Amino acid sequence: MVRAIVGANWGDEGKGKITDMLAKESDIIVRFQGGSNAGHTIINNYGKFALHLLPSGVFYDHTTSIIGNGVALNIPYLINEIHSIVERGVPKPHILVSDRAQILMPYHVLFDTYEEARLAGKSFGSTKSGIAPFYSDKYAKIGIQVSELFDEEGLKEKIERICEIKNVLLEHLYHKPLLDPAELLETCHQYRDMVEPYVCDVSSYLYDQIKAGKTILLEGQLGSLKDPDHGIYPMVTSSSTLAAYGAIGAGIAPYEIKDIITVVKAYSSAVGAGAFVSEIFGEEADELRRRGGDGGEFGATTGRPRRMGWFDAVATRYGCRIQGATEVAFTVLDVLGYLKEIPVCTGYEIDGNVTKDFPTTAKLEKAKPVLTTLPGWNCDIRGIKKYEELPENCRNYIEFVEKEIGVRISMVSNGPGRDDIIMR
Ligand code: GDP
């Protein structure tokens, strides 16, 4: 059985926590897109971890963690991340890396940094992890697949070709030092030795495991609104964040994905640039940011303060639809306990018309939020295990959101820990 765990919003919905929790009863967890540019925060019996590249299922000794072909694979980063969790007492995880995954090279990070500097104030708010240059190269067919590390002649040729193109840009556009093919080849040799123990024909492996009836989780990074096709283009990431892409980025049949658990946060937060209709500012935003997530809403990779907003039902309904959500995990609800009243964005006003349909970017830039205010519950709901034991106003908030988004909320997360969950 394959289940996807994906985000309906801008990312940071709490997918890591839900994955870590569901991994307990799963065999295999697969990352299928993205790279080390965003993080998942996980709190469990080993402590608090910020994972960037490893799937959030690595904390159990019965699970296999997979880096699928769709991921931007930063090899030294992966090796360091493995070391860093083992150092803290986590059993050495069983990890497989797809032989078709492509490698994020040091020059991708450089190009990301140079381009951000060149764009200055008009940048996309990149985390400078090299993700956009990496995926550009993949589709321009100058990427390096893991399998290519083991073909010395082909690799040499490819590196020459890469340097020809990159060095023109480095010299004439960025005015930076050029790439040296011999040095890049040496880097690739080091990467080959580091990754060799983990390399696997992942799609064939997963085919057999599915046939054997294993439980597989596909863990998404970021959320619907950061998808390059269906998100707020161009303020998006460079690989698809949708469950449908899970089939491609892991190498399995699309019809094997039976359950799409879409993670929705009880309020909004976003990093980077782009329209954010229900955004709040000033003291109101600072307070929510301070109280948000676990210890404040700051990027797990960059430490940047996240932009804050009220729950956006328009964006979330769309985000769930485009994911194909079969159920919703509603997270970080406990954080809203301090509010007497809770505004929810239930419509967008664009050029004088109110809509509930999420528009394309140019129209989105013009949208003003239509807010509906719900009464708060004004107490701490952490520790509650049963739905009926939640305060009435809290249940009303959940049921209001459920109706707005049109997908069943099957789990309510009321704290960052593994067991802070209410099954409905
Ligand atoms: P991801 O990228 O979707 O995995 O999300 P992140 O891990 O970046 O952000 C979620 C943050 O919220 C983390 O700091 C989690 O520890 C925290 N978190 C997750 N679920 C809950 C919850 O129900 N309540 C609270 N207070 N924090 C939560």
Side-chain angles (χ1 to χ4, degrees), residues 34-87:
S36 58
N37 52 323
H40 305 284
T41 310
I42 295 139
I43 298 167
N44 55 34
N45 42 328
Y46 297 104
K48 180 171 174 172
F49 296 86
L51 292 184
H52 300 97
L53 203 49
L54 286 171
S56 304
V58 291
F59 297 99
Y60 300 94
D61 46 16
H62 69 274
T63 54
T64 297
S65 298
I66 295 186
I67 304 291
N69 57 275
V71 171
L73 173 66
N74 183 329
I75 292 176
Y77 203 107
L78 176 73
I79 304 301
N80 284 337
E81 201 158 272
I82 297 170
H83 284 312
S84 74
I85 65 164
V86 170
E87 250 172 28

Side-chain angles (χ1 to χ4, degrees), residues 11-17 38-43 48 56 219-222 263 265 267 291-298 300 306 330-335 382 412-417 420:
D12 308 316
E13 296 93 349
K15 297 175 295 293
K17 178 225 158 120
H40 305 284
T41 310
I42 295 139
I43 298 167
K48 180 171 174 172
S56 304
E219 182 184 21
Q221 180 212 41
L222 298 169
V263 186
K265 190 147 105 169
Y267 54 88
R291 293 173 175 270
D294 174 65
E297 291 281 359
F298 299 91
R306 291 178 182 150
F330 196 49
T331 59
V332 213
L333 187 60
D334 51 302
V335 163
R382 280 209 197 176
V412 175
S413 174
N414 58 338
D420 300 324

Side-chain angles (χ1 to χ4, degrees), residues 4-16 18-19 32-33 40 218-227 230-231 240-244 260-265 269 311 315-325 327-331 405:
I5 300 166
V6 287
N9 305 121
W10 299 264
D12 308 316
E13 296 93 349
K15 297 175 295 293
I18 302 294
T19 307
F32 61 88
Q33 46 87 226
H40 305 284
L218 304 177
E219 182 184 21
Q221 180 212 41
L222 298 169
S224 301
L225 305 170
K226 293 283 188 183
D227 183 75
H230 297 283
S240 176
T241 56
L242 303 181
I260 300 171
I261 302 173
T262 306
V263 186
V264 167
K265 190 147 105 169
S269 71
F311 182 78
T316 308
R317 190 164 69 103
Y318 172 77
C320 287
R321 170 167 70 79
I322 217 76
Q323 287 290 9
E327 57 182 300
V328 159
F330 196 49
T331 59
I405 63 179

Side-chain angles (χ1 to χ4, degrees), residues 397-415:
Y397 185 80
I398 297 166
E399 286 158 35
F400 182 87
V401 165
E402 185 172 58
K403 210 160 143 214
E404 286 287 323
I405 63 179
V407 184
R408 189 173 72 93
I409 294 177
S410 59
M411 290 173 236
V412 175
S413 174
N414 58 338

Side-chain angles (χ1 to χ4, degrees), residues 148 151-161 185:
E148 290 178 274
D151 165 25
E152 187 65 14
E153 274 317 297
L155 185 62
K156 257 193 197 151
E157 254 172 57
K158 179 158 256 173
I159 288 174
E160 294 286 347
R161 195 143 48 87
L185 188 65

Side-chain angles (χ1 to χ4, degrees), residues 199-358:
V199 178
C200 170
D201 179 348
V202 161
S203 102
S204 160
Y205 174 84
L206 289 176
Y207 181 80
D208 292 339
Q209 299 299 311
I210 291 170
K211 271 208 296 199
K214 299 287 173 159
T215 302
I216 299 166
L217 300 180
L218 304 177
E219 182 184 21
Q221 180 212 41
L222 298 169
S224 301
L225 305 170
K226 293 283 188 183
D227 183 75
D229 285 84
H230 297 283
I232 53 172
Y233 188 84
M235 304 302 181
V236 294
T237 193
S238 303
S239 66
S240 176
T241 56
L242 303 181
Y245 191 76
I248 297 161
I252 62 169
Y255 55 75
E256 295 293 356
I257 306 173
K258 305 292 186 219
D259 190 11
I260 300 171
I261 302 173
T262 306
V263 186
V264 167
K265 190 147 105 169
Y267 54 88
S268 301
S269 71
V271 285
F276 183 9
V277 179
S278 67
E279 186 166 11
I280 54 175
F281 303 92
E283 181 46 39
E284 199 176 37
D286 289 343
E287 172 140 46
L288 185 56
R289 184 180 302 111
R290 231 179 4 253
R291 293 173 175 270
D294 174 65
E297 291 281 359
F298 299 91
T301 301
T302 57
R304 291 188 291 191
R306 291 178 182 150
R307 297 163 69 193
M308 307 303 297
W310 301 124
F311 182 78
D312 184 336
V314 177
T316 308
R317 190 164 69 103
Y318 172 77
C320 287
R321 170 167 70 79
I322 217 76
Q323 287 290 9
T326 55
E327 57 182 300
V328 159
F330 196 49
T331 59
V332 213
L333 187 60
D334 51 302
V335 163
L336 299 181
Y338 73 98
L339 291 160
K340 287 206 167 54
E341 290 185 321
I342 311 176
V344 172
C345 174
T346 49
Y348 288 175
E349 191 193 311
I350 303 170
D351 295 330
N353 301 312
V354 174
T355 179
K356 278 183 175 288
D357 294 327
F358 192 78

